[in-house]
Amino acid sequence: MRGLRAAWLRVIGTFASAQRDSDLSAELQAHLDLHIDDQVRAGLPRDEARRQALLKLGGVEVTGDHVRDRRGVPVIDALLLDFRYAVRGLRRAPGFTVVAVATMGLGIGASTAIFSVVDSVLFRPLRFTEPQRLTMLRPSSGSRLSPAYLHDWRLESQTFQDMAGWHDVRVNLTSRAEPLEVLADRVTSNFFALLGTPAFLGRTFTTGADLSRVEPEVILSHGFWQRRYGGVPEIIGQPITLDGKILTIVGVMPEGFTVRTNELAESRAELWIPLNLVPGNRIGMGGFLNVIGRLAPGASVAGAQAELGAIARRIEQGYPSYSRDWSLQVLPLLDATVKEVRPVLLVLFGAVAILLLIACSNVANLVLSRTATRHTELTIRLSLGATAMRLVRQFMTEGFLLATTGGALGVLFAILGTELLVSALPAGLNLPRASEIGVDLRILTFAILVTMLAATLFGLVPAVSSVRSTRKSALREATRGSSSDSSRVGLRSTLIVLEVALAIVLLGAAGLIGRSFWELSGVNPGFRPDGVLTMRTTLPESRYDSDERIRTFSSELLERIERLPGVEAVGSVNYLPMSRFGSADRFEIEGRPEARIEDQKFSWVSVVGGRYFEAMGIQLLRGRLPGDVDTEKTQPVVVIDEELARRYWANENPIGTRINWSRGEDERLSGEIIGVVGGVRWGGMASDPQATTYFWFPQDPGRQLTVVARTVEDPTMLAGAIAAQVRRIDPNQPVAEIRAMRDWVSEDLAQPRFTMLLLGSFAAGALLLSAIGLYGVIAFAVTQRTREIGIRIALGAQYTSILRLVMQQGMLLTGIGLVIGIVATLALGRVMGSLLYGITPTDPATLLAVSLFLAAVALLAMYFPARRAATLDPMVALRTD
Amino acid sequence: MSKQADIWQGTLALMVLKTLETMGPCHGYGIARRIEQTSDHLLAVNYGTLYPALLKLEQEGYITSSWDTSENNRRAKYYRLTRAGKKRLERATKEWEQATEILARFLAPGEATSA
């Protein structure tokens, strides 16, 4: 108890010391005075009395120290003292401190910001109940599943607790003044219960074991509720008209609720409507469902995969014509969500980690230079009896102070940077879980860990190297600071080599991404995107219930737009290239033997109307294009692209051949090939042209209409006029995505562009830091060798020979760094592979260019201190110490 | 001077407490003088070592201190015994007596073998 009380008082005593100090000296003074009084009374002269009193007390200062040690905790006292020294020392070198802290701040800030993105997207569990049990079920070919599978799996599977399916639809909302097309997910009624996310407001769909019974209900997304209904809670229970049908709003989901699958159509649903999973609904076995499952407790992914595969085989027994060469993939939902962005994020994280390393080595280098200039101070302190430990502690404190200040600045940068990064994410990037990105405790822990590592590096490395070298040289050290201590120089050189090597790796990565982006932008997508405006409208079944009505609407719309001044050609298509929507089907060529299941012919299918090919700038290679002569009453015609022609009519003329299509199980279509057009990169610039068949809209009308208009001038100027034509025909008909075709292409390139910009700025930072580091080392060497250089100049050395002398060292370091960097880049190339287009990760031209560039920058960085050395006045130089 | 013994470790605190019990409130110099006088100058107190000991006793709550005026009109810090200090002194005295008694018996000639 007493001990505890005393300890506590001592800790307190460590801090409130000023008042106690004056108290103590007053007490000691009183002691002296009393003693002297006594001695004088005993007959001693005052001087002698004072001397004896002091002797007996053992000196005021020493006694004061003893008491002070007892009063506080000596270790803390010393630490505080170190801390005070460190602050004072750093304040005395403001340039050094600002540069070091800013470098650290940027390094830690950038890496923490990127880490917060990586962590939020890749590592943090999804925001569902027990997310580790959620899985995504999909065929290995990447397309979707037939409801038949979902139905049977649900009934038979033991490894799954439940499964839900959904698909996206576009619905027209007409219950408010302005008709609006919205993206919705049609989900089985157990969808929300399976994920375990409760509604933010109201309720989710009620669910029973039987998924074939659905209520006319709808659930809103948080964002849609805010935007469209101003976030009023009274919305629950209100009716809403979708595609002409009246549904009741029963709930609003919490903010950020979404299920991302990251395939062609990711869910950005604003509404959820129930999907009726009819037991007998096996029509066509065509796949259109995304399926997620919740594993039973204890079930494994592999076990689930085997079980579902077996059930699927059984289902297929009843459908002999259906393809069997697919296998099922059961993926943890998190993997399925982020699979596509993982390589990019990891590369970016690696890049920023490299940047941080460079920043650290740069600051370590600065600290080393600073230590070198304090050589004399250290020598004196050592010889006055300071222990090496004491000096190391002093360095550690300084390093700690630098790193923590840098770290604090870094955390600030990270918070700002993360916000900036999220707000700067281009729409086309489609980064999953973007709304979940934020700085939290894990991120701060990361920043603190990095800071601690940096603190150790900045403290320990220079401390040990410096104390060791000081000890060694303490005796033989002349007063002139001309010695260049070998161990310290060695350490600095190593750091520079490391920096250059790391900078090369980053520059190489940025260079490769840049080149790849350039290649990608130069790719011919198969159409001419400039000067084309696109606009989409989806005709609802309720008002457009017959082919005739659809045809009438479409032809009137195209005619009206064609008549607008400034429009060159207008056409329509069901799904636009690069819009991430589309469909494919099987076909047979008439006159050839029916293909076996294994080599069935597949083709991308597109339905075009009007002058689509002219409007898009797709070239006609052979035959003719469909036109007004081809109607629903004449022979059905199709146009194929060169890719399909090359694949199935290698040396023949396809024109005039008939091909037959099966759409679903029983619908058959056939058409005569009348023309061959150029290939189109449907899936984006990085994809290959897809073998395509174009049907003719008047002969195969659909409700999905995307108008494509080629204009004389800037297409966006006609946006209003073109969109107005839809409402002239049908005021209740909404239009969506009125945008230039160029924007679609640009959005397709958003991810590579974003990666390029981020990597590019990291590389620029790395280059700058390495240049500064190199500059620092050479400048320092020049200062150290001033006398030597002065003598050389005095003895007649030429300008160029001094320049060479000084730069030699830097060139050597740069050279070694370059070689190591190139080797590392070649070794790391694999990681980059999946991000590159049109070039290999070992592209020699890029690596050569990057190396030359870095060498040039390095030369420039070395040139300034070298020139200063070469133009030294020998008289001044010789006098320096 | 050179024949004087140094104060044994740990006994200084006991002497301080005893001095304060006998003399009542006293300043540091007075305590030191008193210890020397009581020991008939056989003990040499380095006055400097007294102050950390005083501070320790104060931190442990056995004594308190306050500023006062001395007999010859100097301001000095006076230490006085607390109740805890008195108890501590009693206990320590007993312990000390026991210890010296044991040691005395132990060192008495002939006694050690009789057991």
Side-chain angles (χ1 to χ4, degrees):
Chain A
M1 273 301 282
R2 296 279 163 197
L4 217 66
R5 174 194 147 104
W8 172 238
L9 283 173
R10 288 178 79 165
V11 171
I12 303 251
T14 303
F15 295 96
S17 60
Q19 198 261 327
R20 283 151 191 267
D21 262 357
S22 70
D23 203 54
L24 173 65
S25 51
E27 184 176 12
L28 293 179
Q29 191 55 51
H31 176 106
L32 277 179
D33 290 341
L34 286 165
H35 198 172
I36 294 167
D37 285 352
D38 268 6
Q39 304 270 49
V40 169
R41 239 176 283 139
L44 275 178
R46 186 157 272 281
D47 280 359
E48 181 57 21
R50 183 177 170 73
R51 201 183 71 84
Q52 288 203 2
L54 274 172
L55 272 180
K56 191 79 174 144
L57 185 62
V60 177
E61 277 311 309
V62 178
T63 304
D65 270 353
H66 284 314
V67 176
R68 265 190 287 270
D69 272 357
R70 172 63 216 181
R71 190 175 58 208
V73 186
V75 179
I76 300 183
D77 269 350
L79 269 182
L80 282 178
L81 200 64
D82 280 343
F83 188 74
R84 238 169 281 145
Y85 274 158
V87 171
R88 212 179 297 153
L90 291 178
R91 274 172 62 179
R92 228 182 293 133
F96 161 79
T97 309
V98 167
V99 170
V101 167
T103 309
M104 277 318 295
L106 283 175
I108 293 179
S111 54
T112 309
I114 295 290
F115 178 73
S116 74
V117 174
V118 170
D119 182 56
S120 309
V121 174
L122 295 189
F123 301 128
R124 237 180 278 171
L126 293 164
R127 292 183 181 169
F128 302 116
T129 309
E130 293 188 56
Q132 68 284 356
R133 276 168 57 205
L134 291 174
T135 55
M136 183 86 204
L137 314 181
R138 56 163 69 139
S140 50
S141 58
S143 59
R144 306 199 192 175
L145 285 162
S146 154
Y149 293 106
L150 173 58
H151 184 264
D152 288 12
W153 282 335
R154 271 197 85 229
L155 288 181
E156 298 181 28
S157 166
Q158 303 295 315
T159 53
F160 280 89
Q161 187 174 311
D162 200 3
M163 288 178 196
W166 80 97
H167 68 92
D168 49 324
V169 285
R170 288 160 173 164
V171 290
N172 290 335
L173 175 68
T174 46
S175 50
R176 290 239 164 169
E178 177 92 340
L180 180 72
E181 187 190 280
V182 285
L183 275 177
D185 274 351
R186 199 180 279 279
V187 301
T188 53
S189 58
N190 62 344
F191 179 76
F192 296 101
L194 183 135
L195 292 172
T197 311
F200 174 74
L201 210 64
R203 59 169 173 85
T204 56
F205 297 135
T206 45
T207 170
D210 183 5
L211 299 185
S212 63
R213 292 186 33 178
V214 300
E215 304 294 326
E217 295 171 338
V218 61
I219 293 172
L220 309 185
S221 76
H222 194 273
F224 189 68
W225 174 54
Q226 291 288 337
R227 277 194 307 278
R228 182 83 178 175
Y229 297 100
V232 294
E234 290 78 29
I235 194 68
I236 303 298
Q238 296 295 309
I240 182 172
T241 311
L242 294 176
D243 283 348
K245 278 180 240 148
I246 296 174
L247 304 174
T248 310
I249 299 174
V250 295
V252 174
M253 289 312 283
E255 211 170 344
F257 173 83
T258 179
V259 175
R260 283 279 314 241
T261 55
N262 230 325
E263 45 159 23
L264 275 177
E266 80 285 357
S267 169
R268 286 211 207 117
E270 313 218 73
L271 304 172
W272 289 274
I273 44 185
L275 164 74
N276 188 348
L277 193 70
V278 183
N281 183 3
R282 301 189 169 189
I283 297 166
M285 302 286 285
F288 60 88
L289 280 186
N290 298 297
V291 176
I292 45 170
R294 179 176 286 281
L295 288 172
S300 74
V301 166
Q305 180 146 352
E307 189 201 35
L308 296 193
I311 300 174
R313 291 289 96 86
R314 205 158 57 240
I315 297 172
E316 285 151 8
Q317 299 287 310
Y319 298 86
S321 72
Y322 205 67
S323 156
R324 271 163 225 201
D325 56 349
W326 66 282
S327 60
L328 179 77
Q329 245 186 327
V330 179
L331 275 176
L333 188 58
L334 180 60
D335 283 1
T337 307
V338 302
K339 203 166 85 180
E340 216 174 59
V341 292
R342 185 176 286 132
V344 185
L345 288 184
L346 290 182
V347 163
L348 284 179
F349 187 53
V352 84
I354 290 179
L355 185 66
L356 179 67
L357 261 180
I358 295 181
C360 282
S361 356
N362 229 9
V363 177
N365 231 329
L366 274 175
V367 173
L368 278 176
S369 322
R370 193 171 128 74
T371 317
T373 60
R374 292 164 75 187
H375 192 69
T376 319
E377 176 202 334
L378 295 178
T379 314
I380 292 172
R381 287 184 66 181
L382 269 178
S383 52
L384 283 182
T387 59
M389 200 47 225
R390 185 69 227 263
L391 291 189
V392 168
R393 217 167 58 193
Q394 173 76 52
F395 278 116
M396 289 298 291
T397 314
E398 254 190 53
F400 178 78
L401 200 62
L402 267 186
T404 42
T405 318
L409 192 67
V411 168
L412 193 72
F413 283 156
I415 293 171
L416 296 177
T418 308
E419 264 171 39
L420 190 76
L421 202 63
V422 172
S423 67
L425 289 176
L429 190 63
N430 281 321
L431 182 67
R433 310 180 75 191
S435 66
E436 295 174 37
I437 295 171
V439 176
D440 65 0
L441 267 180
R442 281 166 65 133
I443 312 297
L444 291 183
T445 311
F446 172 83
I448 290 169
L449 275 178
V450 169
T451 307
M452 289 301 137
L453 271 174
T456 318
L457 180 73
F458 303 155
L460 210 54
V461 172
V464 169
S465 97
S466 173
V467 169
R468 203 174 50 203
S469 74
T470 306
R471 273 208 172 145
K472 252 191 313 193
S473 60
L475 291 176
R476 56 183 160 80
E477 172 74 354
T479 47
R480 291 193 182 276
S482 58
S483 87
S484 58
D485 178 69
S486 61
S487 87
R488 195 158 47 223
V489 168
L491 190 58
R492 300 193 49 157
S493 304
T494 314
L495 285 174
I496 284 297
V497 169
L498 181 77
E499 277 186 44
V500 171
L502 290 174
I504 274 289
V505 173
L506 261 193
L507 275 177
L512 287 171
I513 291 277
R515 266 258 308 156
S516 149
F517 182 74
W518 191 64
E519 293 278 328
L520 206 51
S521 324
V523 163
N524 175 10
F527 54 88
R528 290 183 289 120
D530 290 313
V532 174
L533 188 81
T534 71
M535 169 186 80
R536 193 161 49 75
T537 187
T538 310
L539 302 174
E541 213 172 331
S542 56
R543 280 180 287 124
Y544 295 88
D545 50 0
S546 70
D547 285 357
E548 198 42 52
R549 283 198 178 163
I550 298 173
R551 262 194 291 264
T552 313
F553 175 88
S554 161
S555 60
E556 192 181 342
L557 179 62
L558 295 187
E559 263 168 45
R560 276 173 171 274
I561 295 173
E562 190 115 62
R563 281 203 301 270
L564 288 175
V567 174
E568 272 180 11
V570 63
S572 73
V573 63
N574 52 352
Y575 299 111
L576 205 60
M578 301 193 181
S579 68
R580 295 177 175 233
F581 281 89
S583 62
D585 261 313
R586 309 191 298 282
F587 70 95
E588 294 288 343
I589 300 164
E590 218 172 81
R592 297 196 193 176
E594 187 157 329
R596 282 176 322 204
I597 288 169
E598 296 81 61
D599 28 60
Q600 277 177 342
K601 305 172 189 69
F602 275 89
S603 164
W604 196 251
V605 176
S606 181
V607 182
V608 300
R611 291 162 63 199
Y612 173 76
F613 296 103
E614 287 107 307
M616 277 296 265
I618 299 171
Q619 247 187 319
L620 175 69
L621 303 174
R622 274 174 136 171
R624 67 171 180 95
L625 291 175
D628 293 341
V629 297
D630 306 295
T631 66
E632 73 268 28
K633 296 184 185 77
T634 64
Q635 183 70 251
V637 293
V638 297
V639 168
I640 62 171
D641 76 335
E642 53 181 332
E643 188 60 29
L644 196 74
R646 191 184 52 75
R647 210 174 285 174
Y648 299 110
W649 288 272
N651 301 311
E652 304 164 44
N653 185 357
I655 309 277
T657 319
R658 294 181 61 82
I659 52 179
N660 300 315
W661 291 81
S662 43
R663 188 182 290 170
E665 269 304 288
D666 18 59
E667 198 182 349
R668 301 270 172 202
L669 295 167
S670 72
E672 183 189 333
I673 299 172
I674 55 165
V676 178
V677 294
V680 167
R681 294 177 198 271
W682 288 90
M685 299 290 268
S687 70
D688 287 327
Q690 228 152 345
T692 308
T693 308
Y694 295 93
F695 285 82
W696 181 232
F697 185 86
Q699 296 174 342
D700 185 20
R703 294 198 172 79
Q704 270 301 333
L705 265 186
T706 306
V707 173
V708 176
R710 178 163 293 278
T711 59
V712 184
E713 279 160 41
D714 180 5
T716 51
M717 282 166 47
L718 282 172
I722 291 179
Q725 304 310 315
V726 174
R727 262 168 249 135
R728 294 262 168 78
I729 306 172
D730 181 350
N732 278 326
Q733 184 56 31
V735 291
E737 292 178 327
I738 309 172
R739 53 201 300 207
M741 192 63 215
R742 175 45 72 188
D743 291 350
W744 285 102
V745 176
S746 160
E747 189 168 287
D748 180 64
L749 294 174
Q751 183 175 320
R753 187 186 299 118
F754 187 68
T755 315
M756 178 182 71
L757 287 180
L758 268 188
L759 263 185
S761 46
F762 294 160
L767 187 68
L768 185 70
L769 285 177
S770 321
I772 292 174
L774 206 53
Y775 171 88
V777 166
I778 303 301
F780 181 71
V782 167
T783 318
Q784 297 263 297
R785 294 168 75 181
T786 302
R787 267 165 56 80
E788 177 202 334
I789 293 169
I791 294 171
R792 281 172 188 269
I793 294 176
L795 291 178
Q798 293 299 302
Y799 177 82
T800 47
S801 69
I802 295 292
L803 220 53
R804 203 178 311 126
L805 174 79
V806 173
M807 289 172 74
Q808 233 164 19
Q809 180 202 2
M811 301 275 281
L812 184 68
L813 297 183
T814 310
I816 300 173
L818 266 177
V819 172
I820 297 177
I822 294 286
V823 172
T825 308
L826 293 178
L828 289 173
R830 263 180 328 108
V831 187
M832 295 284 298
S834 67
L835 302 184
L836 297 181
Y837 177 86
I839 54 167
T840 60
T842 54
D843 185 54
T846 307
L847 295 185
L848 184 70
V850 161
S851 309
L852 286 178
F853 182 55
L854 185 126
V857 172
L859 276 180
L860 197 68
M862 290 183 282
Y863 174 69
F864 291 105
R867 194 186 54 179
R868 194 156 48 89
T871 53
L872 272 179
D873 179 348
M875 289 316 290
V876 178
L878 287 171
R879 255 184 264 122
T880 57
D881 55 15
Chain B
M1 283 279 256
S2 60
K3 284 279 160 96
Q4 286 178 336
D6 281 335
I7 293 183
W8 300 326
Q9 204 83 72
T11 54
L12 181 60
L14 181 55
M15 291 181 198
V16 169
L17 290 178
K18 185 67 192 171
T19 306
L20 286 178
E21 194 196 28
T22 335
M23 308 237 319
C26 190
H27 47 68
Y29 174 67
I31 297 171
R33 289 286 300 173
R34 168 74 188 176
I35 291 173
E36 281 185 343
Q37 281 164 5
T38 313
S39 74
D40 232 351
H41 294 276
L42 285 174
L43 284 178
V45 178
N46 179 345
Y47 293 173
T49 58
L50 184 66
Y51 286 94
L54 282 171
L55 182 60
K56 181 166 184 281
L57 284 171
E58 194 178 356
Q59 283 170 346
E60 287 166 344
Y62 296 129
I63 57 174
T64 58
S65 68
S66 59
W67 287 88
D68 209 336
T69 313
S70 76
E71 57 276 19
N72 45 0
N73 242 351
R74 288 208 181 270
R75 298 264 308 154
K77 202 174 185 181
Y78 275 76
Y79 294 89
R80 75 195 73 228
L81 215 53
T82 63
R83 191 172 307 177
K86 275 196 187 112
K87 272 191 200 147
R88 169 98 187 109
L89 179 60
E90 275 168 34
R91 210 173 61 233
T93 312
K94 239 178 247 162
E95 281 168 11
W96 186 254
E97 279 166 356
Q98 240 170 23
T100 43
E101 198 188 328
I102 293 168
L103 211 58
R105 258 195 254 164
F106 196 78
L107 295 175
E111 287 280 314
T113 52
S114 74

